Amino acid sequence: KSRCCGPVKHVNAGVTNLYKLFSVCYFSGSLMGDSVVMVSLYPEFPQSVTSSVASCGEFVLLMDRSGSMSNSRISSARDTLLLLLKSLPMGCYFNIYSFGSRYEHIFPKSVEYSQQTMEEALKTVVQMEANLGGTEMLQPLKHIYSQPCIPNQPRQLFVFTDGEVWDTKEVIDLVKRNSDSHRCFSFGIGEGASSALINGMAKEGGGHAQFITDTDRMQAKVMQSLRFALQPAVVDISVTWDLPKEVSVTVLSPPITALFPGQRSLIYAQLSGQSSEAAEGCVTVKYSLAGHPSENQLHFSLRPAEDTGLTVHKLGARTLIRSLEEGEHRGWQDTKVKEKVVQLSVQSGISSSLTAFIAVFNNNGEAIQGPLLHKNILKHGVPGMSHREEAPGQTQDTLERLYLSAAGGGGWGEGGLASVSEQQTRDPLLQLVSLQEATGKWLLDPALPTALGKTNEEVEKSKPVLANKEIWATILALIWLHGLKMDSKNEWDLLAMKAASWLRAQNAPWVTECVEAANLLLGCSVMKEALGL
């Protein structure tokens, strides 16, 4: 074992401009015999960028419908697609693909987002089941990339899967070859999702990776990524080091290909050589956002402090090990790389795919003898059934019940939704979202009062006499969201912004009176300014 008694120093620094660098931790010790530095990037972009969203783009959604996506996963996926479709901006283009052993698409090619195309897509979404067999992602991706990009509509690809594929290297390489024409946002669902696949696609596609456990709400994480996709991409990212000539740097982390507001990125670097205690180092981060170049510098002391520790060394080793393993997983068979992984793992005590912890009896110091055994552990779920099997008689999810009549062939106009009495037991938030039009407005539909927990008579009686019905219905929905559903704001924020934009475009009178009346009816106290009006 290699040991380190190197001192440690923590430097907390803030840098102005478009984001701040926090927590620069410098360790003098060993990796396991050199110093290690960790830089944490926590972007804080201007409010003018983060508060605005693009009104264009081509959004391609690729959903896993293999057998392992059954039960709650496919149910949550359908609800998520509902939120995504309602939150897209007018003027964009979209399409939805689903895959298993084969793949399907709703439209032959991406179509312009409108009330008609949104309704057509939702009719298909409600019928989606986890019934397409295995997990074959490469062919649908090839088909998507073969479609010509739409001028002035940047392509944003959202990929959802709960498993892994046998051709991970080919999939990631395909994303990389097309990285100039799109951004890829990937979502790993459940514990079985391949981290190499999910992280690799997002990294090479300049997007963002999210992992969703079976206890997480998929909707919240997906809507966060949609907000990222609607904002300008950070490009031309570079990190440079300025150190004394007797000190050299070896970066342990893979290159940063994307920065998103509020999402931390870590850089680990190994510093070799000796310098005077008074010496300083400097790290410079450059990038361009919305056409504006930016440069941030942070100076840190190379003088060790009195504390000791190996935490950052281990984190740096773990980062390098994972990076090397991803290369191996993608087919880079290199003996020297494997030797490097084993060496790092043994020295740092960080497990890898090529090493293992061996149990030793304390009484005699001898290793346990015998072959390694592989055992499948039953995951949580129905007793006696694998987590990849589908339970018989599964219940309908919220979205399917909301659009039951449409799935059965009913229209989306009057009578297209299930009866009001049936809707009373459904999730009010998703019920309200399902009633929103593509333009962002709500209609004074009989189903609206039910979603708000009111009667038709109460809603009609509270409406200001001269107010437009659509204005009144939209303000009612916004007051209800802001007043009673703030805990789910990250799920409905984008569709509420679209509703507020529609209201502003109407330049209608009686808005203030509608806000006051809606607050009185719903028992809220939401200010007009909070609605974006």
Side-chain angles (χ1 to χ4, degrees):
K1 292 182 179 180
S2 68
R3 298 183 180 273
C4 170
C5 299
V8 56
K9 178 165 185 178
H10 296 277
V11 180
N12 294 321
V15 178
T16 58
N17 210 331
L18 294 187
Y19 66 78
K20 298 177 181 178
L21 302 178
F22 292 101
S23 304
V24 176
C25 305
Y26 175 73
F27 279 76
S28 176
S30 169
L31 190 70
M32 291 325 257
D34 285 332
S35 303
V36 175
V37 61
M38 179 184 77
V39 181
S40 177
L41 308 180
Y42 196 87
E44 295 179 355
F45 297 142
Q47 184 70 17
S48 59
V49 174
T50 58
S51 62
S52 62
V53 295
S55 59
C56 61
E58 179 194 7
F59 297 88
V60 182
L61 315 178
L62 179 60
M63 178 63 67
D64 187 345
R65 285 175 56 194
S66 60
S68 57
M69 281 286 292
S70 59
N71 299 325
S72 62
R73 293 182 181 177
I74 195 66
S75 168
S76 183
R78 286 189 289 245
D79 292 346
T80 300
L81 290 176
L82 165 67
L83 280 172
L84 276 171
L85 287 172
K86 294 291 184 175
S87 301
L88 292 178
M90 293 295 292
C92 75
Y93 286 72
F94 79 101
N95 202 356
I96 300 177
Y97 291 75
S98 52
F99 70 95
S101 299
R102 55 187 176 85
Y103 68 90
E104 300 175 353
H105 46 72
I106 295 181
F107 305 105
K109 62 180 182 179
S110 294
V111 296
E112 187 172 0
Y113 180 72
S114 67
Q115 182 66 21
Q116 179 181 349
T117 55
M118 182 191 73
E119 288 178 352
E120 185 175 348
L122 284 173
K123 287 181 181 180
T124 302
V125 167
V126 72
Q127 301 178 65
M128 285 185 174
E129 295 291 347
N131 57 1
L132 293 186
T135 308
E136 302 289 340
M137 188 185 297
L138 187 61
Q139 293 308 314
L141 281 175
K142 286 182 176 179
H143 177 81
I144 291 170
Y145 291 136
S146 70
Q147 301 292 311
C149 291
I150 302 170
N152 301 316
Q153 301 286 347
R155 178 174 288 173
Q156 315 285 352
L157 174 63
F158 284 58
V159 180
F160 305 81
T161 183
D162 73 335
E164 58 181 324
V165 296
W166 61 271
D167 48 1
T168 299
K169 178 182 183 300
E170 288 79 1
V171 169
I172 296 177
D173 286 347
L174 180 62
V175 173
K176 183 177 181 179
R177 288 198 300 272
N178 291 275
S179 59
D180 291 340
S181 62
H182 83 302
R183 282 194 289 179
C184 179
F185 297 84
S186 52
F187 304 88
I189 304 170
E191 297 83 356
S194 167
S195 59
L197 176 66
I198 300 302
N199 286 325
M201 293 182 71
K203 174 188 171 185
E204 299 298 349
H208 186 248
Q210 298 262 30
F211 288 89
I212 305 164
T213 69
D214 287 333
T215 58
D216 290 334
R217 278 188 65 81
M218 184 189 302
Q219 293 90 330
K221 293 192 173 184
V222 173
M223 297 310 294
Q224 180 189 50
S225 291
L226 177 59
R227 178 176 285 280
F228 292 159
L230 288 168
Q231 294 173 359
V234 178
V235 297
D236 301 329
I237 304 170
S238 67
V239 180
T240 56
W241 301 81
D242 184 12
L243 300 166
K245 61 180 180 180
E246 60 270 19
V247 179
S248 61
V249 61
T250 302
V251 179
L252 306 175
S253 309
I256 296 177
T257 57
L259 288 172
F260 295 101
Q263 297 296 303
R264 184 178 61 178
S265 298
L266 296 177
I267 302 172
Y268 295 95
Q270 178 179 346
L271 306 181
S272 305
Q274 299 294 326
S275 63
S276 65
E277 290 191 353
E280 277 194 341
C282 176
V283 59
T284 302
V285 179
K286 296 180 180 180
Y287 62 90
S288 180
L289 175 64
H292 300 287
S294 180
E295 177 177 324
N296 293 269
Q297 285 190 340
L298 183 63
H299 295 265
F300 57 95
S301 174
L302 296 178
R303 183 181 61 185
E306 298 300 325
D307 301 325
T308 62
L310 278 171
T311 303
V312 170
H313 290 76
K314 290 180 177 290
L315 290 171
R318 180 183 183 276
T319 298
L320 182 55
I321 288 172
R322 296 295 179 265
S323 179
L324 294 172
E325 284 180 331
E326 285 185 11
E328 284 295 303
H329 195 69
R330 290 171 58 182
W332 300 343
Q333 301 299 326
D334 189 330
T335 302
K336 291 184 178 180
V337 171
K338 293 183 178 180
E339 291 176 352
K340 179 68 172 179
V341 170
V342 172
Q343 181 187 39
L344 283 169
S345 179
V346 172
Q347 289 183 356
S348 64
I350 301 297
S351 62
S352 73
S353 59
L354 300 175
T355 55
F357 289 98
I358 303 299
V360 177
F361 287 116
N362 290 329
N363 57 348
N364 58 17
E366 295 181 359
I368 296 176
Q369 301 299 314
L372 295 176
L373 300 178
H374 180 87
K375 183 177 181 179
N376 291 319
I377 305 299
L378 181 65
K379 296 198 175 186
H380 60 82
V382 181
M385 181 176 65
S386 165
H387 76 292
R388 292 187 176 273
E389 297 174 342
E390 183 173 354
Q394 68 180 73
T395 59
Q396 288 179 312
D397 62 281
T398 305
L399 178 61
E400 183 174 0
R401 293 197 304 270
L402 281 171
Y403 292 100
L404 182 61
S405 61
W412 288 86
E414 184 176 354
L417 292 171
S419 67
V420 172
S421 60
E422 290 175 335
Q423 294 175 1
Q424 291 176 348
T425 59
R426 298 168 189 159
D427 180 358
L429 175 59
L430 287 178
Q431 183 181 349
L432 183 68
V433 169
S434 70
L435 298 173
Q436 188 185 31
E437 301 274 292
T439 57
K441 68 181 179 181
W442 273 267
L443 304 178
L444 200 56
D445 187 278
L448 180 64
T450 303
L452 302 176
K454 299 296 177 181
T455 65
N456 288 336
E457 183 181 0
E458 288 175 317
V459 170
E460 289 285 355
K461 185 177 180 181
S462 299
K463 183 181 80 69
V465 177
L466 299 179
N468 176 277
K469 289 185 177 182
E470 294 177 355
I471 299 291
W472 169 238
T474 303
I475 289 178
L476 267 177
L478 288 177
I479 293 292
W480 187 84
L481 290 172
H482 283 271
L484 302 174
K485 287 294 179 180
M486 284 300 292
D487 57 335
S488 304
K489 188 174 187 293
N490 52 359
E491 298 183 21
W492 53 258
D493 190 32
L494 288 174
L495 60 89
M497 289 173 59
K498 185 163 67 167
S501 178
W502 178 84
L503 282 170
R504 290 193 300 269
Q506 305 311 302
N507 196 25
W510 304 101
V511 169
T512 300
E513 290 78 5
C514 286
V515 170
E516 293 173 354
N519 274 313
L520 185 62
L521 173 64
L522 299 173
C524 301
S525 56
V526 181
M527 302 296 291
K528 185 172 72 171
E529 292 75 18
L531 305 179
L533 304 178

